[in-house]
Amino acid sequence: MSEAKRALITGVTGQDGSYMAEQLLEKGYEVHGVVRRSSTFNRSRIDHIHHDDHLPGKNLHLHYGDVTDAARMSQLVYDIRPHEVYNLAAQSHVRVSFDEPVYTAEATGVSTVNMLEAIRSVDTSIRFYQASTSEMFGASPPPQNENTPFYPRSPYGVAKVYSYWITRNYREAYDMFAVNGQLFNHESPRRGETFVTRKITMAVASILKGKQSELWMGNLDAIRDWGYAKEYTDGMWRMLQADEPEDFVLATGTAFTIRQFLTLAFSHAGLEWEDYVKFDPKFLRPTEVDELIGDAGKAKALLGWEAKVLPPELARIMVDADIARLDGAPEGAF
C-alpha cells in the first residue's frame, strides 16, 4: 500500500485554506495546517472537519506557527516532510494594506521566501503553490492573463508581486516545482466579513431579518471578475499535479461592478439596494483598481480547469448561506 500524500497548508483557517483542506482530505491526503496562536479560537471554517462523517478528520493535523517566523516554518517543513505546500497565508485585505504597509510587506511578501527557503533547505522535490492575485495587475488594462505586465496599486499588490517573482526565481535557480496561481477575486459563504461581497450578502440577510437597516459602502463602480472559491482551490491542486511547473491565471472572464453585485444580492432577497445603501468616503482606497477581468484560457487548455459558477449564482449562494446562518445553520454547512 502506497504512502498517503502529505500536504502543508498555511492559512488553513481562511476561506481558501478550509476548502483546500476538505478537498485534499477527500482525495486521501494527510493534511497539515498552520494556525496562528491567539487568545481566541478562529477555526470556525475547519472545526466541522473533525465531526464530518464524510471527511477523515483524523488526517487533519494543526500546528501553531506564523509564516513571518522563518525558523518555525523550516522546522515544520523538516518535521512534516510534505509532498506539497500550499502557501495561502497573508494579510490579504487590500484596503487594510494601506493602513499597515510594513506588516503587509512582511506577512504577504517576505513570508513567501521563508517558505521557499524552508523547502530549499529540506527537500527541493517538495511542490510549492504560491497564492498570487489579480491585484498585481492593478492598472494594466483588461483582459489580464499570464503575460500582462504588473502595475500594482496597493501595498498588498506590491507585496504579492515580490512573492510572485521570488517564487519564479527559486523555480529557475534551484529547479524547484514552484508555481504561482494568479487568482482573480474568488468568494464564498466563508469569505471574510470585511470583504465587499460578504459585507453585502451579510447585510442583505440582516436587513431581511430586521437586524440591520442600512449598509455603508465606498466605490460602487469598480469592475471585478468574481468566481467561486471552491472551484479555485481545485485549480490550485491541479497546478501542483502538472508535469511541469508553470504559472496560471484563474478567472471567470466576466465583468461585474460592485453596483451590479449589490443588485444581484438584494434582488435575490426581494429588496431594492438603493433603499439601504449609503456612501462613506472612508471605504475608498487611496489608489483604486478600476477594472480586473481575467483570461483563464491557459488553465483551461493545460489543466482542464474552467469556472462554472458565475457572479449571479455566486450572489445567490452567499445570500442564502448568510440567511441560513442567522437561522442557526452550522458553519460547516457552507
Side-chain angles (χ1 to χ4, degrees):
M1 184 174 179
S2 60
E3 178 188 26
K5 273 191 173 182
R6 290 182 302 281
L8 175 62
I9 303 172
T10 69
V12 71
T13 59
Q15 169 189 255
D16 292 3
S18 64
Y19 284 128
M20 178 59 74
E22 287 179 351
Q23 290 170 7
L24 293 179
L25 288 169
E26 288 171 352
K27 295 177 187 296
Y29 279 66
E30 177 184 307
V31 177
H32 295 259
V34 180
V35 296
R36 283 188 299 172
R37 175 74 177 92
S38 68
S39 58
T40 57
F41 276 139
N42 181 28
R43 302 182 188 177
S44 60
R45 296 184 181 95
I46 59 172
D47 277 342
H48 68 282
I49 290 176
H50 294 288
H51 311 290
D52 191 330
D53 294 337
H54 302 290
L55 290 172
K58 66 181 186 301
N59 289 336
L60 174 62
H61 310 274
L62 301 180
H63 308 266
Y64 285 121
D66 191 308
V67 289
T68 61
D69 184 344
R72 178 60 173 154
M73 293 304 102
S74 291
Q75 180 188 14
L76 285 174
V77 172
Y78 180 84
D79 291 343
I80 297 166
R81 302 294 173 116
H83 299 92
E84 299 170 2
V85 172
Y86 295 88
N87 190 36
L88 312 183
Q91 191 300 99
S92 58
H93 198 284
V94 176
R95 180 63 189 85
V96 171
S97 76
F98 286 98
D99 300 325
E100 295 195 281
V102 175
Y103 175 71
T104 299
E106 294 172 350
T108 306
V110 176
S111 63
T112 301
V113 79
N114 292 342
M115 299 306 302
L116 288 163
E117 265 296 283
I119 292 170
R120 186 188 69 82
S121 63
V122 173
D123 182 355
T124 55
S125 72
I126 296 170
R127 297 192 171 202
F128 177 78
Y129 172 86
Q130 169 58 26
S132 287
T133 172
S134 57
E135 288 288 334
M136 299 188 305
F137 299 122
S140 288
Q144 294 101 354
N145 61 26
E146 293 83 1
N147 298 315
T148 301
F150 296 142
Y151 192 159
R153 299 270 286 169
S154 66
Y156 170 73
V158 171
K160 283 292 190 179
V161 169
Y162 172 81
S163 287
Y164 172 91
W165 281 114
I166 199 66
T167 298
R168 284 194 57 168
N169 180 256
Y170 271 64
R171 178 168 78 213
E172 295 165 5
Y174 304 114
D175 195 28
M176 290 169 56
F177 197 110
V179 304
N180 290 286
Q182 297 165 265
L183 275 54
F184 280 63
N185 293 66
H186 47 289
E187 320 295 310
S188 76
R190 297 183 189 176
R191 188 58 146 151
E193 297 178 3
T194 59
F195 290 85
V196 67
T197 53
R198 185 74 197 291
K199 178 180 174 180
I200 291 169
T201 61
M202 285 178 60
V204 170
S206 295
I207 290 168
L208 196 64
K209 296 291 185 179
K211 297 177 179 293
Q212 188 172 331
S213 60
E214 56 192 18
L215 171 63
W216 293 87
M217 298 287 293
N219 177 21
L220 302 185
D221 297 317
I223 296 170
R224 292 294 183 267
D225 181 331
W226 282 300
Y228 188 26
K230 288 180 75 169
E231 295 182 340
Y232 285 53
T233 49
D234 173 64
M236 298 177 193
W237 177 79
R238 290 176 184 235
M239 290 180 210
L240 290 196
Q241 313 315 307
D243 292 333
E244 299 294 333
E246 296 188 51
D247 305 320
F248 289 91
V249 162
L250 298 186
T252 69
T254 63
F256 284 77
T257 64
I258 293 174
R259 181 177 285 102
Q260 287 173 309
F261 194 90
L262 277 166
T263 302
L264 292 168
F266 274 82
S267 63
H268 180 58
L271 302 171
E272 296 288 340
W273 70 266
E274 293 95 335
D275 295 337
Y276 305 97
V277 174
K278 302 183 184 302
F279 174 73
D280 189 334
K282 76 179 182 182
F283 294 117
L284 297 176
R285 302 176 184 177
T287 47
E288 182 59 82
V289 173
D290 296 320
E291 193 171 8
L292 294 174
I293 308 168
D295 171 9
K298 179 181 176 182
K300 182 178 180 180
L302 299 185
L303 301 177
W305 183 91
E306 185 177 11
K308 299 291 197 302
V309 176
L310 302 182
E313 183 181 356
L314 179 63
R316 293 193 294 271
I317 290 170
M318 293 177 66
V319 168
D320 287 344
D322 277 321
I323 292 172
R325 271 194 184 91
L326 292 181
D327 289 334
E331 192 70 23
F334 313 115

